Amino acid sequence: MLFFAPAGKKEHDMPKDYIIHASAADGMMRAFFAVTTDTVSEAVKIHNTTPVASAALGRLLTAGAIMGFMQKNDADQLTLIIRGDGPLGGLVVSAGKDATVKGYAYNPDVELPLSRQGKLDVAGALGKGYLSVIRDIGLKTPVSGQTELVTGEIAEDLTHYFANSEQTPTAVALGVLIDRDCSVKQAGGFILQLLPGCPEEIAGELEDKLAEFPPLTALMEQGKRPEDIMHMLLGEFGCTEIDRSEVNFSCNCTYDRVSRVLIGVGREELNKILEEDGEATLHCHFCGKDYNFDQAYIEEILKQTM
Ligand code: ZN
């Protein structure tokens, strides 16, 4: 028997990562369903994360992409920061309205035994700590909210954040499945919100539905796409897709932008750099790129900041 690759299904025309925005229950619910496998894979490749760090970073990247897309204006920027006392130390994720997302883990090489349930121990890696949500919506200072981590599994922590800081009943599901070779097999998530005025009985029905809903990565392993998962979860509430966006891992750092950081360190520090090293290398934590500033460049900055 001969096996042939399915015609026309080359890697480059496989559907990429995306988020769909849906509305249900006559506008009383809004929901976002995302597949982020390529995005999380890209982050894992850049940061060379261990499986537990990949799972943690992948979950927060997925949440970040969705919450970025949930923002109102094109220029709005969202940053999620988790700081914990566990061996991972923390995570930083930043996302725009176009669902472009970037992020890193403080200690990407953390290794931990599996949890008692045989899962990657994200909660153990993060430990006790805080989740901060920083929204830069063009005001003088960004708006930020902070809540204590409740489980350290990230989805529950975000649910807690939405309920406490934004007074919005929200269900968050995030899933990252790591393969035996440490690559990302599946990644995705959804965020579902009840809007003001949503009747109690609808909220109750949804809660029941969520309680018995299968794990996201299990559904993705069966080949389910975000729209399938939307129909499975919200079909009986009369859901419709409103719009969608591609999701990409991308960093917007540039030589210019990074040089502003260098200018910001001040004359004294710059003089010290010149004396001690003669040059400076700044590292972008988000994408791993190094920017080198030679002696002539630093002298020029010093001249200009006289
Ligand atoms: Zn960068």
Side-chain angles (χ1 to χ4, degrees):
M1 202 173 181
L2 284 171
F3 291 96
F4 295 100
K9 232 185 172 189
K10 290 184 203 116
E11 204 165 332
H12 64 263
D13 42 40
M14 291 291 276
K16 299 177 80 171
D17 288 350
Y18 60 94
I19 302 175
I20 55 177
H21 171 198
S23 172
D26 296 321
M28 292 284 131
M29 269 182 220
R30 68 169 184 159
F32 298 82
F33 296 86
V35 51
T36 56
T37 310
D38 289 352
T39 304
V40 176
S41 295
E42 181 71 17
V44 165
K45 208 166 67 191
I46 289 171
H47 299 299
N48 201 15
T49 41
T50 57
V52 68
S54 303
L57 180 58
R59 288 184 198 172
L60 198 64
L61 279 170
T62 301
I66 298 174
M67 290 172 70
F69 183 49
M70 285 166 76
Q71 299 176 108
K72 279 203 192 85
N73 304 307
D74 287 349
D76 291 354
Q77 191 73 23
L78 169 101
T79 304
L80 303 172
I81 301 173
I82 294 180
R83 278 178 212 272
D85 63 5
L88 185 63
L91 299 163
V92 180
V93 161
S94 185
K97 167 79 183 155
D98 60 356
T100 296
V101 66
K102 57 183 180 176
Y104 63 92
Y106 289 2
N107 301 313
D109 45 9
V110 58
E111 304 215 35
L112 275 184
L114 296 178
S115 71
R116 254 175 286 165
Q117 294 80 31
K119 300 233 166 89
L120 292 168
D121 191 4
V122 170
L126 281 169
K128 290 196 179 67
Y130 290 89
L131 161 74
S132 304
V133 179
I134 301 155
R135 297 180 180 281
D136 188 349
I137 51 172
L139 303 173
K140 239 187 217 160
T141 46
V143 184
S144 70
Q146 196 183 59
T147 51
E148 220 167 309
L149 296 180
V150 284
T151 64
E153 293 287 349
I154 302 179
E156 291 85 348
D157 303 308
L158 283 162
T159 296
H160 181 72
Y161 163 80
F162 278 114
N164 286 275
S165 289
E166 303 201 354
Q167 284 78 47
T168 309
T170 306
V172 182
L174 303 167
V176 176
L177 184 64
I178 305 295
D179 214 344
R180 258 180 245 171
D181 65 359
C182 299
S183 65
V184 180
K185 209 170 179 202
Q186 306 286 355
F190 65 75
I191 293 182
L192 214 158
Q193 295 190 314
L194 300 181
L195 300 180
C198 183
E200 291 260 328
E201 66 261 32
I202 290 185
E205 277 170 46
L206 181 67
E207 214 163 292
D208 293 346
K209 185 101 198 183
L210 283 166
E212 57 191 38
F213 204 67
L216 263 184
T217 50
L219 295 174
M220 294 177 76
E221 278 287 271
Q222 294 165 16
K224 300 270 191 290
R225 305 294 294 164
E227 41 275 66
D228 304 321
I229 295 166
M230 170 185 87
H231 283 291
M232 282 179 71
L233 188 61
L234 300 178
E236 65 202 65
F237 300 99
C239 57
T240 45
E241 181 181 327
I242 292 173
D243 61 350
R244 63 170 63 203
S245 170
E246 249 184 55
V247 178
N248 287 296
F249 188 101
S250 164
C251 188
N252 54 354
C253 66
T254 57
Y255 197 82
D256 253 20
R257 214 181 274 247
V258 175
S259 78
R260 269 180 259 153
V261 175
L262 197 62
I263 294 166
V265 304
R267 297 186 61 79
E268 207 177 312
E269 192 63 27
L270 284 174
N271 275 315
K272 213 166 112 191
I273 291 170
L274 276 183
E275 274 168 35
E276 286 173 9
D277 306 306
E279 58 171 13
T281 302
L282 294 188
H283 178 76
C284 176
H285 288 296
F286 287 106
C287 68
K289 220 184 268 173
D290 282 325
Y291 291 88
N292 198 68
F293 301 91
D294 61 10
Q295 188 177 341
Y297 192 93
I298 297 173
E299 280 169 351
E300 190 56 36
I301 295 177
L302 278 166
K303 236 188 272 169
Q304 284 176 14
T305 51
M306 287 258 285

